[in-house]
Amino acid sequence: MKNWTGIITVFIGSSIFAQQTTFKFDFGSNRTENGFIPITSTSKFDKKIGYGFMDISGLKSVDNGRNALTGDFITSDKSFYFSVVIPEGNYDIKLNLGDAKGTSETTVRVENRRLMLNDVKTKQGEIVEKQITVHVKDSIIRNQNGAEIGIVKLKPREGKYLHWDNLLTIEFNDKAPKVSSVIIQPNTTARTIYLTGDSTVVDAQYEPWASWGQMLPYFFVPNEVVIANYAESGETLKAFEDRHRIDKIWNKIKPGDYLFIQFGHNDQKYGNSEKSGYRKRLKEWILRAKELVAIPVLVTSMNRRVFDENNKIVNTLDDFPVAMQEIAKEENVYLIDLNALSKTLFEAMGPEAAKKAFAYYPANSYPNQPTAMADDTHFNTYGAYELAKCVVKSIVDQNLPLRKYISKNYKNFNPNKPDDAEKFNWPESIFMEALKPDGN
């Protein structure tokens, strides 16, 4: 597990690699394409050179003796992680996947299990080039001139996360992942979608937990749009302000970028939407986004898995969804009614089948889990994937401007007819934890 104490301090002081933003890596043997950096099965991460694999155990270098760039590759029988020291920003990453003498099957995720490519299969002898666009962030708040003016107050557990560590980390997973090359270069033109919210939006690091936010990148066209997920478990609108998470966004967001706002689950601990200051803060955020010529999008909180005797979802979110709906009308901003869509989705599943979308697992399914897991708020990867589809469906159905950036990975989705949970593909990462995320 990547938890390198002091790594941020080391890299901020590195004048060479902290500023480098373009890399060309040739994965495989020592036979290397001109202009590329050789990466072999022994290329363990080294802070002095600024790149390498988190763990080299189980890695294999295979050389088929053909093209220097695509004739060899790195593979493993388990997921493997490649990290690069790189400044925060948006990056296009081109990947050559496949086997010049065989087949392959690769899923690519970045940082905290953020889904980018799902189950890419290549035929015998086929090499495919795929592109993804990734947002890399650190915890330093900088003004428009790049001067450091503050820092995000991270929670202790965030020190273990893969997305606050001054590295870009790429996870290669699936039945037969085979990687020939990785090319990284800055993208300064993509529209950025900033996500704010709680544990139902966050890029969850540990299996089996997941959120719709970390599934969303899979459904957008790379190069044109990038997802920047700043959500964190347990947060309210007020906590997001107090920890300066929103200040980080205000100092980065550009005209034409989007700000998705989904809060409610934790805010309700402090009273209704009026008493908790929810309405007031929501309006302030909308005003600030508009001042910055960014586009606010409100997302109502999805329902919990609570059914009545007629197998209908019970509202456990007090007046928060209604408050957000009303404010969207008052302020004339876009609304994604995930509350309504999730109600349709969960009722279509029914009380028992809906458990397959939440963190419901028998004892000892995950490390340090002596008792059964039964969580009606937090989702597993299948549930998060279905909710991400609901978000995309709303964008498409309302014909929001973002619609033109939806990728072919999205097929028309009907929440009345959920995908078959048994057919959902998600090769698990090595990071696992039974501990429930913060939040209610």
Side-chain angles (χ1 to χ4, degrees):
M1 181 179 298
K2 185 173 67 171
N3 182 16
W4 304 323
T5 305
I7 201 168
I8 294 177
T9 302
V10 170
F11 291 148
I12 288 175
S14 172
S15 60
I16 298 175
F17 289 100
Q19 300 305 313
Q20 188 168 348
T21 58
T22 300
F23 294 87
K24 298 168 77 174
F25 298 107
D26 185 348
F27 280 40
S29 65
N30 285 316
R31 193 168 58 89
T32 310
E33 180 77 3
N34 290 337
F36 280 69
I37 300 169
I39 301 295
T40 70
S41 59
T42 61
S43 299
K44 186 173 176 61
F45 182 85
D46 185 337
K47 62 187 178 184
K48 293 180 181 178
I49 63 172
Y51 54 80
F53 294 107
M54 289 171 55
D55 180 6
I56 61 173
S57 63
L59 291 181
K60 300 174 185 176
S61 293
V62 178
D63 192 342
N64 289 322
R66 299 185 179 183
N67 178 284
L69 187 64
T70 60
D72 54 356
F73 57 84
I74 296 290
T75 188
S76 179
D77 293 331
K78 62 180 181 180
S79 58
F80 55 100
Y81 298 75
F82 185 75
S83 296
V84 183
V85 180
I86 206 162
E88 75 169 6
N90 296 332
Y91 294 89
D92 289 332
I93 303 173
K94 290 183 180 179
L95 306 165
N96 272 319
L97 307 174
D99 182 347
K101 289 188 177 180
T103 61
S104 72
E105 191 168 347
T106 309
T107 287
V108 178
R109 299 190 279 255
V110 299
E111 307 287 78
N112 271 15
R113 295 160 65 237
R114 198 182 311 158
L115 182 62
M116 308 304 292
L117 300 173
N118 187 33
D119 200 25
V120 178
K121 295 184 175 73
T122 60
K123 301 174 184 177
Q124 186 78 18
E126 181 185 18
I127 307 294
V128 297
E129 182 181 275
K130 296 290 184 179
Q131 181 173 307
I132 60 177
T133 303
V134 178
H135 178 80
V136 178
K137 65 177 183 284
D138 61 31
S139 58
I140 299 170
I141 302 172
R142 303 173 180 84
N143 64 18
Q144 297 297 324
N145 296 320
E148 297 181 14
I149 59 173
I151 193 165
V152 177
K153 296 180 180 178
L154 302 180
K155 298 178 179 180
R157 68 164 177 272
E158 292 181 88
K160 298 179 181 179
Y161 285 3
L162 303 187
H163 61 205
W164 290 116
D165 57 1
N166 295 82
L167 301 174
L168 163 64
T169 297
I170 309 172
E171 172 193 346
F172 299 102
N173 207 325
D174 225 317
K175 297 180 180 66
K178 298 178 181 180
V179 187
S180 293
S181 68
V182 175
I183 300 175
I184 302 168
Q185 57 187 16
N187 180 325
T188 58
T189 60
R191 290 181 182 271
T192 304
I193 301 176
Y194 290 90
L195 305 184
T196 66
D198 49 36
S199 57
T200 61
V201 186
V202 70
D203 284 348
Q205 176 162 337
Y206 301 103
E207 306 284 358
W209 315 97
S211 78
W212 65 261
Q214 69 195 113
M215 303 295 177
L216 200 61
Y218 179 65
F219 298 107
F220 280 90
V221 175
N223 185 256
E224 300 286 349
V225 169
V226 64
I227 307 298
N229 194 343
Y230 283 73
E232 173 53 26
S233 299
E235 296 298 78
T236 62
L237 277 167
K238 183 178 186 301
F240 218 82
E241 291 180 356
D242 292 346
R243 293 183 178 274
H244 305 299
R245 299 184 193 276
I246 193 63
D247 292 331
K248 171 79 173 177
I249 295 174
W250 293 147
N251 282 278
K252 287 185 66 63
I253 201 165
K254 304 185 302 295
D257 286 345
Y258 285 77
L259 179 68
F260 280 39
I261 306 169
Q262 187 214 277
F263 289 92
H265 278 88
N266 302 307
D267 302 74
Q268 67 178 139
K269 299 174 186 176
Y270 304 97
N272 61 31
S273 63
E274 196 68 58
K275 183 178 179 181
S276 64
Y278 182 84
R279 289 177 182 263
K280 178 177 179 292
R281 288 190 179 86
L282 204 51
K283 289 185 176 183
E284 289 172 349
W285 284 29
I286 292 169
L287 178 61
R288 180 63 174 147
K290 288 180 176 179
E291 288 174 347
L292 294 169
V293 201
I295 304 164
V297 178
L298 305 187
V299 185
T300 56
S301 295
M302 73 291 291
N303 283 280
R304 299 182 175 93
R305 196 200 72 88
V306 179
F307 288 82
D308 64 17
E309 64 278 5
N310 297 315
N311 294 337
K312 299 296 183 182
I313 286 289
V314 176
N315 174 38
T316 62
L317 289 159
D318 301 324
D319 70 331
F320 286 88
V322 171
M324 185 169 274
Q325 292 163 3
E326 292 174 349
I327 289 172
K329 289 182 179 179
E330 293 169 8
E331 303 297 326
N332 191 29
V333 297
Y334 297 123
L335 175 78
I336 294 174
D337 197 350
L338 192 53
N339 185 263
L341 287 163
S342 65
K343 182 178 189 296
T344 300
L345 179 70
F346 300 154
E347 288 179 354
M349 293 177 175
E352 281 304 308
K355 291 179 180 178
K356 295 180 180 180
F358 288 78
Y360 267 77
Y361 296 94
N364 301 310
S365 296
Y366 291 92
N368 304 312
Q369 187 214 338
T371 59
M373 195 183 299
D375 191 318
D376 291 318
T377 297
H378 298 103
F379 304 94
N380 60 19
T381 52
Y382 164 70
Y385 187 82
E386 296 296 276
L387 287 170
K389 280 190 166 184
C390 287
V391 171
V392 176
K393 173 182 172 57
S394 184
I395 292 170
V396 171
D397 289 354
Q398 295 186 77
N399 200 27
L400 301 189
L402 280 173
R403 177 177 179 170
K404 63 183 176 182
Y405 302 116
I406 301 299
S407 76
K408 294 179 180 179
N409 291 328
Y410 175 76
K411 308 296 190 293
N412 291 331
F413 180 64
N414 183 355
N416 278 300
K417 296 180 179 179
D419 295 322
D420 186 346
E422 305 305 320
K423 295 181 180 179
F424 175 66
N425 178 73
W426 184 272
E428 288 195 313
S429 299
I430 60 173
F431 300 99
M432 298 181 178
E433 183 176 272
L435 182 65
K436 178 180 177 180
D438 282 359
N440 179 27

